[in-house]
Amino acid sequence: MAATWPSGLVATEAVAAQLLGVLWFVSVTTGPWGAAAIAAASSEETIKCEDLKLGQYICKDPKINDATQEPVNCTNYTAHVPCFPAPNITCKDFGGNETHFTGNEVGFLKPVSCRNVNGYSYKVAVALSLFLGWLGADRFYLGYPALGLLKFCTVGFCGIGSLIDFILISMQFWKDCQSYYLTFHRDWPSQSH
């Protein structure tokens, strides 16, 4: 004998199935992949090249000044590097002109923050910290005479302070007394996207 379902439950399932069908139709025709969205996208204004998404452009690495370890054209803690939109991208360049790029033209200049350095040598600071850190030589060199004297009197805070300072200086978490980075060109983060 077959089980019979109450008629109210079947009607509810039928209404739910119809509702799901309508929702699916609406999402297909108006969603990001739907015909309405495609028609709207084709009539939109061309975006600026600066507003391109990652992967739609590539930027050159900044040229580094060997003496200061900063980008060559650094002003007000910012340098600008040329960025090239990918081939077959159309966007407005920095002149406001709508351009179809082949991948060889500069589309915009991307701002890159500069490291603020003043000439203290990273290698000297690491060597002083490693060999004479227990005497506070690294702190004296970086412009912290009071902490250098304290470190000298406590034999590098019993060695623990010397070890911590060595790690901090080696990993470049330490700055000199004027909050400048030490002069050392560790690999710059890639600016290509």
Side-chain angles (χ1 to χ4, degrees):
M1 189 144 95
T4 59
W5 294 94
S7 61
L9 188 55
V10 173
T12 307
E13 288 179 356
V15 170
Q18 288 177 350
L19 182 61
L20 284 174
V22 169
L23 289 174
W24 174 82
F25 178 75
V26 169
S27 69
V28 167
T29 57
T30 62
W33 54 86
I38 292 170
S42 64
S43 66
E44 287 182 10
E45 187 177 323
T46 305
I47 63 169
K48 293 181 182 178
C49 292
E50 296 90 15
D51 298 333
L52 290 174
K53 296 181 180 172
L54 295 177
Q56 292 181 326
Y57 64 91
I58 187 166
C59 297
K60 287 192 171 187
D61 289 331
K63 293 179 184 173
I64 304 297
N65 182 337
D66 290 333
T68 63
Q69 297 299 309
E70 290 183 333
V72 173
N73 58 351
C74 185
T75 55
N76 295 331
Y77 305 108
T78 304
H80 293 86
V81 293
C83 294
F84 302 88
N88 298 323
I89 295 283
T90 301
C91 60
K92 290 185 180 177
D93 59 12
F94 48 90
N97 303 322
E98 187 173 313
T99 307
H100 183 77
F101 290 92
T102 62
N104 298 323
E105 304 92 358
V106 175
F108 63 99
L109 299 174
K110 182 177 181 180
V112 178
S113 63
C114 298
R115 296 181 52 166
N116 193 7
V117 297
N118 75 346
Y120 285 105
S121 172
Y122 169 79
K123 292 177 183 177
V124 170
V126 170
L128 287 173
S129 183
L130 179 63
F131 298 113
L132 299 173
W134 58 278
L135 292 173
D138 51 352
R139 297 285 187 139
F140 282 112
Y141 176 70
L142 294 175
Y144 296 96
L147 291 174
L149 185 60
L150 180 64
K151 204 170 167 185
F152 176 78
C153 293
T154 60
V155 189
F157 303 116
C158 298
I160 296 171
S162 297
L163 178 64
I164 291 171
D165 281 353
F166 175 71
I167 292 170
L168 291 176
I169 292 172
S170 298
M171 297 181 73
Q172 288 221 334
F173 289 130
W174 196 264
K175 298 178 183 179
D176 73 345
C177 64
Q178 298 170 345
S179 295
Y180 287 102
Y181 286 101
L182 303 178
T183 303
F184 170 71
H185 174 61
R186 190 164 44 177
D187 292 334
W188 279 79
S190 177
Q191 301 300 323
S192 11
H193 297 288

